[in-house]
Amino acid sequence: MEALFILFGAGLLAGAMNAAAGGGSFVSIPAMVFVGLPSVAANASSTVALLPGTIASAWAWRRDFRPFDGIPLRTMILISLIGGLVGALLLLVTPQHAFDVLLPWLLLIGTLAFAFGRPLGAALRRRVRIGPGAVTGAQVPLSVYAGYFGGGVGIMMMAVWSLLDDADIRSMSAARTMLVSAANAVAVLCFALAGPVHWPETAVMLVAAVIGGYLGAGLARRVPAPWLRGFVIAFSLAMTAVFFRRAYG
C-alpha cells in the first residue's frame, strides 16, 4: 500500500511538472526504483506512464506548430520515430548492472540540460547559425536519447533548433512536444511488446500523471516560471546525488 501512495504521489508531481515546466521523469524514474523496480524496468515503465500527458501536450500545441524552414515535417517525424525505436532497443539490451551505473550520469545530463539548455541556446544563437542539414543531423542522436532515457531532451532539441536561421522559438515549442511524443510513442510500443514494463505500478502512475498534468496547467498560470524551474532543478539535483551515492557509494 505504501508503494502505491509513493507511485501515485510521484505521478501527480511528475504530471504537474511536465505541464508546468518539464522534468517529470526526474520524479517518475526514481519513484519506480524506490518501490523496488529494476532501473531498466523503471525507465521503461516511467516512459509508458508519462506518454499520455506528453501526447495531450502535443495536441494542445497543434495550432501553434510551424514547419521548420527547409526541413519537411515528415522527415523530422521519421527521424524521431526511428531514433526512438533505436534508443528503446538499446535500453533493452543494456545489462541491468550497467544501467545502474549509467543512470546517475543520465540524470546529471538531463538536469544540466534543463538548467542551462535555454540560456546556452540563446547565447549560441547570438554567435552561431546552422542550416537545415545540421538540424536534421542533430535530431538523430537526440531522438535516440529520447527513446533511451529522454530526461531534458525537449530542452536539448530547443537549444539546437534555436540556432537555425529565422527560428521561431515559440512555435518550436509545438514541434518539441510533437517530436518528443513521436520518439516516446514508438519506445512505449517497443517496451510494451518486449515486456519490461511493470503494468500495475505503471497504471497507478499513469492515472496520477494525467491528473497532475491537468492540475499543473493551472499551477503554471499562478506560479512564476523561474520558481517552477528552480524547484525542478533543485529536485533533479537531489535525485542525481541520491543515485550517484546508490551507484558508487
Side-chain angles (χ1 to χ4, degrees), residues 1 28 34 45 50 56 101 120 125 129 154 170 201 213 221 232 239:
M1 185 61 70
S28 58
F34 289 154
S45 300
L50 298 184
V101 174
L120 179 60
R125 182 175 169 80
R129 289 290 187 272
R170 183 178 297 275
E201 293 86 349
R221 298 187 187 98
V232 173
M239 289 297 98

Side-chain angles (χ1 to χ4, degrees), residues 209-236:
V210 171
I211 298 171
Y214 180 81
L215 298 176
L219 180 68
R221 298 187 187 98
R222 294 177 176 83
V223 179
W227 291 14
L228 293 173
R229 286 182 56 79
F231 171 78
V232 173
I233 292 168
F235 190 95
S236 304

Side-chain angles (χ1 to χ4, degrees), residues 88-185:
L89 293 174
L90 285 174
L91 177 67
L92 294 177
V93 300
T94 301
Q96 183 64 53
H97 65 86
F99 193 75
D100 286 338
V101 174
L102 186 60
L103 181 55
W105 293 101
L106 293 170
L107 288 170
L108 179 61
I109 290 170
T111 301
L112 293 176
F114 190 89
F116 301 111
R118 289 180 180 174
L120 179 60
L124 288 174
R125 182 175 169 80
R126 292 192 290 268
R127 298 172 176 83
V128 180
R129 289 290 187 272
I130 62 177
V135 171
T136 304
Q139 189 64 20
V140 174
L142 288 172
S143 299
V144 173
Y145 173 77
Y148 189 84
F149 177 69
V153 69
I155 300 296
M156 295 179 191
M157 288 183 183
M158 294 281 284
V160 172
W161 299 343
S162 70
L163 305 181
L164 185 66
D165 284 335
D166 301 321
D168 181 352
I169 303 303
R170 183 178 297 275
S171 67
M172 290 204 176
S173 293
R176 175 198 64 195
T177 57
M178 179 183 297
L179 297 180
V180 170
S181 295
N184 284 345

Side-chain angles (χ1 to χ4, degrees), residues 11 14-20 46-61 176-178 180-181 184 188 205-214 217:
M17 287 169 62
N18 277 344
S46 167
T47 303
V48 176
L50 298 184
L51 179 63
T54 306
I55 293 176
S57 296
W59 178 257
W61 278 104
R176 175 198 64 195
T177 57
M178 179 183 297
V180 170
S181 295
N184 284 345
V188 162
M205 184 172 284
L206 189 154
V207 171
V210 171
I211 298 171
Y214 180 81

